[in-house]
């Protein structure tokens, strides 16, 4: 069923509360789930090859890692991510619920708004920034095709040129339109964008390899060696996992529509270890070939795209990068705040309306100004990002270590004081007690200059610390019941 302006009315009987249960937050029926291994693969085929990820990976080459060091970093990161995302994905498949509801298990039916809001705020900010980056590529393409448009790029209104506003709003409206048709349309868009992205990036790498006469530089002139090299490999792997700290939290937003566990595992295998190593190979070819050609290390694939001499090929590559960035935005930065907003305002918002609200906020924050401010990106978004590790630690420890995957799904939607997840007035003080100190330590490590050398490990330390503390102080006297949500489920999209 596709999303419409007005969702089908749902019966809030069976003990569920209207303030916690809506069509969009309800669990999905097992029968009719459509996400197979290929759909899960397309999540990663799109998200891994984002412009931001290329910039990060190419940065490892610039910092002194050689080709083999980069491959080692991504091999380690892909193994860790495969394990984390598979555990998170299984939770979504078993319960059929989105992330704001999943958090109710550990934090309580009201306390779950804490992780949902943190995840949503980070996502909205990055939604605006990613849209801005895509609009910059589109602006550059339009100027290359129609040089007369350069006059529209010379002024500034609220930090953005007229051409910048036009391209930003065009891509902004495209994403709002896609989201207005619900998760099924997002799934279809990903299925289109994934092969387009892979073919384009592979062709770009081949073109650069040929330009470099079939060989590449394996490292910069003074590469890292010994302990410094291995520390950078570990830091690179850890930071790559941190980049996906958002996704490991709300992967259930997508796997709640997965056909079976096998689909998640097969999609994750091809989409994470296999696809990430393919990504790493493209990175070293692009970086090494450009270094051999002119002695400079690129900062992004767009640096190479702009040098393509043929206008048709330039347009094709630029449009592919734009399509890719839109796909990444839909996956990583649009779905999460939609569900968070629905959870906050269940009686007023549905999927379409929440998507529009998220998009308006992403526009109102003038994201180009955020992106151009290192203070905002490093401290505000970096600090919020560091909170995601402890949240993940508490939720994983609660589900896998404490409950051993036993979930009473209907009680996730009740405000009854006798409900399994009511705790104390809807909040679980033990989960909060595990989260707060762990989050404080993770944020301090991420932002304090004195911890700069280990800042890349803040997500892991926060997650492990929160999981350990929660496992120690959690209430084990309760009876953990395993009840499916079929009686209150709705059709999966």
């Amino acid at each position: 069923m596709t999303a419409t302006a007005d969702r089908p009315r749902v019966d809030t009987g069976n003990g569920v509360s209207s303030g916690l249960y809506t069509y969009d937050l309800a669990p999905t029926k097992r029968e009719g789930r459509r996400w197979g291994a290929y759909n899960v693969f397309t999540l990663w085929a799109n998200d891994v090859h984002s412009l931001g990820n290329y910039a990060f990976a190419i940065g490892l080459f610039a910092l002194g890692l050689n080709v083999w060091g980069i491959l080692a970093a991504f091999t380690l990161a892909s193994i860790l991510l495969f394990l984390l995302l598979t555990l998170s994905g299984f939770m979504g498949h078993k319960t059929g619920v989105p992330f704001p509801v999943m958090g109710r298990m550990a934090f309580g039916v009201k306390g779950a708004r804490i992780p949902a809001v943190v995840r949503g705020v980070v996502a909205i900010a990055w939604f605006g920034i990613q849209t801005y980056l895509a609009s910059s590529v589109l602006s550059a393409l339009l100027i290359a095709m129609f040089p007369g448009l350069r006059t529209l790029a010379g002024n500034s209104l609220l930090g953005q040129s007229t051409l910048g506003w036009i391209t930003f709003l065009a891509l902004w409206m495209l994403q709002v339109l896609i989201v207005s048709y619900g998760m099924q349309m997002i799934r279809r868009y990903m299925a289109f964008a994934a092969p387009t992205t892979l073919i384009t990036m592979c062709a770009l790498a081949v073109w650069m390899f040929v330009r470099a006469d079939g060989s590449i530089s394996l490292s910069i002139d003074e590469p890292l060696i010994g302990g410094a090299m291995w520390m950078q490999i570990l830091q690179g792997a850890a930071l790559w996992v941190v980049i996906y700290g958002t996704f490991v939290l709300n992967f259930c937003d997508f796997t709640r529509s997965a056909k079976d566990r096998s689909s998640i595992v097969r999609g994750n295998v091809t989409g994470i270890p296999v696809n990430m190593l393919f990504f790493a190979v493209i990175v070293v070819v692009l970086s090494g070939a450009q270094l051999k050609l002119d002695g400079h290390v690129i900062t992004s694939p767009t640096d190479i795209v702009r040098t393509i001499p043929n206008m048709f090929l330039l347009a094709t590559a630029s449009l592919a990068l734009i399509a890719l960035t839109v796909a990444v935005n839909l996956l990583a930065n649009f779905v999460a705040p939609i569900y968070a907003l629905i959870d906050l305002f269940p009686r007023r918002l549905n999927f379409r309306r929440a998507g529009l609200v998220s998009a308006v906020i992403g526009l109102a924050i003038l994201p180009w100004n955020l992106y151009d401010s290192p203070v905002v990106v490093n401290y505000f978004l970096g600090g919020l990002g560091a909170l995601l590790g402890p949240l993940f630690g508490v939720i994983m420890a609660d589900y896998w270590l404490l409950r051993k995957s036993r979930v009473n799904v209907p009680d996730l939607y009740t405000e009854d004081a006798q409900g399994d997840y009511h705790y104390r007035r809807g909040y679980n003080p033990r989960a909060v007690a595990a989260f707060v100190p762990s989050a404080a330590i993770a944020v301090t490590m991420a932002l304090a200059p004195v911890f700069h050398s280990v800042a890349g490990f803040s997500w892991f330390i926060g997650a492990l610390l929160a999981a350990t503390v929660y496992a120690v102080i959690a209430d084990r006297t309760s009876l953990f019941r395993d009840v499916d949500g079929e009686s209150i489920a709705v059709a999966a999209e």
Side-chain angles (χ1 to χ4, degrees):
M1 180 180 298
T2 56
T4 59
D6 296 305
R7 291 290 198 176
R9 295 184 63 85
V10 290
D11 179 13
T12 55
N14 298 315
V16 300
S17 304
S18 60
L20 298 173
Y21 179 90
T22 70
Y23 183 94
D24 297 290
L25 296 177
T28 56
K29 292 182 180 294
R30 288 188 174 274
E31 184 178 356
R33 294 182 181 179
R34 305 177 183 179
W35 288 62
Y38 178 74
N39 300 116
V40 175
F41 162 75
T42 59
L43 285 171
W44 313 124
N46 286 301
D47 196 68
V48 168
H49 293 266
S50 72
L51 293 178
N53 287 351
Y54 273 106
F56 166 78
I58 291 170
L60 296 178
F61 190 82
L63 288 173
L65 275 188
N66 61 24
V67 166
W68 309 115
I70 292 175
L71 292 176
F74 279 95
T75 298
L76 176 59
S78 66
I79 293 172
L80 291 171
L81 279 173
F82 172 78
L83 295 174
L84 295 176
L85 285 163
T86 299
L87 288 175
S88 180
F90 282 176
M91 293 169 61
H93 172 260
K94 177 179 173 65
T95 61
V97 304
F99 174 64
V101 178
M102 186 73 70
R104 295 173 186 173
M105 276 183 278
F107 286 89
V109 292
K110 294 183 179 178
R113 290 167 183 164
I114 297 172
V117 168
V118 171
R119 174 67 181 96
V121 170
V122 174
I124 287 176
W126 280 113
F127 160 76
I129 290 173
Q130 289 278 15
T131 303
Y132 163 62
L133 293 176
S135 70
S136 298
V137 176
L138 180 56
S139 294
L141 172 61
L142 291 175
I143 290 174
M145 297 177 66
F146 310 102
L149 293 177
R150 195 178 300 274
T151 57
L152 297 178
N155 63 330
S156 178
L157 176 62
L158 299 177
Q160 183 73 291
S161 68
T162 300
L163 181 60
W165 273 105
I166 292 171
T167 55
F168 182 91
L169 290 175
L171 294 178
W172 182 89
M173 287 187 288
L174 172 63
Q175 293 171 93
V176 171
L177 178 63
I178 293 172
V179 165
S180 70
Y181 285 93
M183 291 295 287
Q184 186 177 156
M185 181 59 72
I186 293 176
R187 175 171 62 89
R188 290 174 177 172
Y189 180 83
M190 289 190 305
F192 153 76
T196 302
T197 296
L198 296 178
I199 293 171
T200 300
M201 299 312 299
C202 184
L204 188 61
V206 170
W207 180 68
M208 284 295 294
F209 190 68
V210 171
R211 282 187 64 197
D213 297 326
S215 65
I216 62 173
S217 296
L218 299 181
S219 68
I220 60 176
D221 292 337
E222 297 181 2
L224 296 174
I225 59 174
M229 178 190 70
W230 285 107
M231 177 57 71
Q232 188 60 62
I233 289 174
L234 293 176
Q235 284 263 24
L239 287 170
W240 187 248
V241 175
V242 170
I243 290 174
Y244 284 86
T246 53
F247 238 135
V248 295
L249 270 179
N250 74 302
F251 189 31
C252 58
D253 289 342
F254 304 94
T255 58
R256 65 193 291 245
S257 296
K259 296 177 181 178
D260 47 44
R261 279 191 169 195
S262 175
S263 297
I264 298 172
V265 172
R266 287 183 288 117
N268 279 350
V269 167
T270 54
I272 302 175
V274 175
N275 181 46
M276 283 187 178
L277 287 178
F278 175 67
F279 167 85
V281 170
I282 291 177
V283 166
V284 299
V285 170
L286 294 180
S287 303
Q290 189 65 42
L291 184 63
K292 180 185 176 183
L293 285 170
D294 60 15
H296 292 91
V297 178
I298 59 173
T299 59
S300 169
T302 55
D303 295 340
I304 292 176
V305 168
R306 288 171 181 151
T307 67
I308 297 176
N310 182 284
M311 183 58 67
F312 175 77
L313 295 178
L314 171 63
T316 301
S318 297
L319 291 175
L321 290 179
I322 293 168
L324 160 65
T325 306
V326 169
V328 171
N329 238 5
L330 293 173
L331 297 173
N333 303 319
F334 219 156
V335 173
I338 286 175
Y339 282 125
L341 285 168
I342 295 172
D343 187 45
L344 290 173
F345 307 102
R347 295 182 178 90
R348 297 185 178 183
L349 296 179
N350 57 21
F351 198 92
R352 174 178 288 181
R353 295 179 191 138
L356 181 58
V357 171
S358 298
V360 169
I361 297 173
L363 170 62
I365 62 176
L366 304 179
W368 43 88
N369 293 329
L370 294 182
Y371 184 73
D372 292 335
S373 172
V375 172
V376 172
V377 173
N378 293 334
Y379 287 92
F380 176 65
L381 293 179
L384 283 174
L387 298 177
L388 301 179
L391 289 174
F392 180 77
V394 170
I395 292 172
M396 290 294 109
D398 180 83
Y399 183 86
W400 291 107
L401 299 181
L402 185 66
R403 303 182 187 282
K404 302 187 186 305
S405 76
R406 289 169 294 184
V407 186
N408 183 354
V409 176
D411 271 22
L412 292 171
Y413 298 91
T414 180
E415 293 179 297
D416 190 322
Q418 302 304 313
D420 287 359
Y421 311 106
H422 187 267
Y423 297 110
R424 188 177 299 171
R425 298 181 179 177
Y427 295 84
N428 182 2
R430 297 172 191 257
V432 175
F435 167 70
V436 171
S438 304
I441 292 173
V443 171
T444 301
M445 290 187 61
L447 302 182
V450 67
F451 295 112
H452 175 72
S453 60
V454 293
F457 303 106
S458 61
W459 188 94
F460 284 96
I461 293 173
L464 290 172
L465 184 59
T468 301
V469 172
Y470 185 75
V472 171
I473 68 175
D475 181 10
R476 287 178 167 78
T477 62
S478 300
L479 175 66
F480 300 123
R481 298 181 292 169
D482 198 23
V483 183
D484 67 41
E486 288 295 303
S487 63
I488 57 173
V490 299
E493 291 188 359

